[in-house]
Amino acid sequence: QVQLVESGGGLVQAGGSLRLSCAASGRTFSSYAMGWFRQAPGKERAFVAAINWSGGSTYYADSVKGRFTISRDNAKNTVSLQMNSLKPEDTAVYYCAATYYSGTPYSIDEYHYWGQGTQVTVSS
């Protein structure tokens, strides 16, 4: 069982940056691949980025590639999402998720544990 708590959301102007963090409970954090998803108002939850158990492999949605960076610290049981050059279309609730599948899964159905989400609002 893993419990996930996101933080770091907020209001930022277009072109700005935010760093989201996700703190995980449990002693087996390093055995999980981690992902970030987001859900904008009226839209389905969508994949943003994923990182494998060691941090050696990452995968990004095309819409954020080159602007967002996912990373993890297994010693601190945390995963982060550095978001640069933010756009109004990045506005959404951002969710951290964990899966015991290997690699860098990008399907919602492949994730087993979810955080409660943190709001990111980008103003134009």
Side-chain angles (χ1 to χ4, degrees), residues 6-12 18 20 36 38-41 83 88 90-95 116-122:
E6 301 96 335
S7 61
L11 173 65
V12 64
L18 277 176
L20 305 183
W36 285 96
R38 65 187 182 186
Q39 187 165 16
M83 305 186 296
D90 294 318
T91 295
V93 177
Y94 282 71
Y95 296 90
Q116 82 290 348
T118 185
Q119 177 70 47
V120 171
T121 303
V122 184

Side-chain angles (χ1 to χ4, degrees), residues 29-109:
F29 174 73
S30 61
S31 64
Y32 293 93
M34 301 296 296
W36 285 96
F37 291 77
R38 65 187 182 186
Q39 187 165 16
K43 296 187 177 181
E44 294 185 349
R45 194 169 298 188
F47 171 76
V48 175
I51 189 166
N52 75 332
W53 70 274
S54 69
S57 180
T58 58
Y59 184 67
Y60 297 92
D62 287 344
S63 58
V64 307
K65 201 174 296 183
R67 299 188 298 124
F68 291 10
T69 302
I70 188 171
S71 60
R72 68 188 295 161
D73 185 337
N74 286 341
K76 296 182 179 179
N77 282 15
T78 58
V79 60
S80 299
L81 185 69
Q82 177 67 41
M83 305 186 296
N84 298 328
S85 302
L86 282 161
K87 305 175 181 179
E89 52 263 44
D90 294 318
T91 295
V93 177
Y94 282 71
Y95 296 90
C96 171
T99 174
Y100 42 76
Y101 293 153
S102 61
T104 53
Y106 56 87
S107 171
I108 290 175
D109 294 340

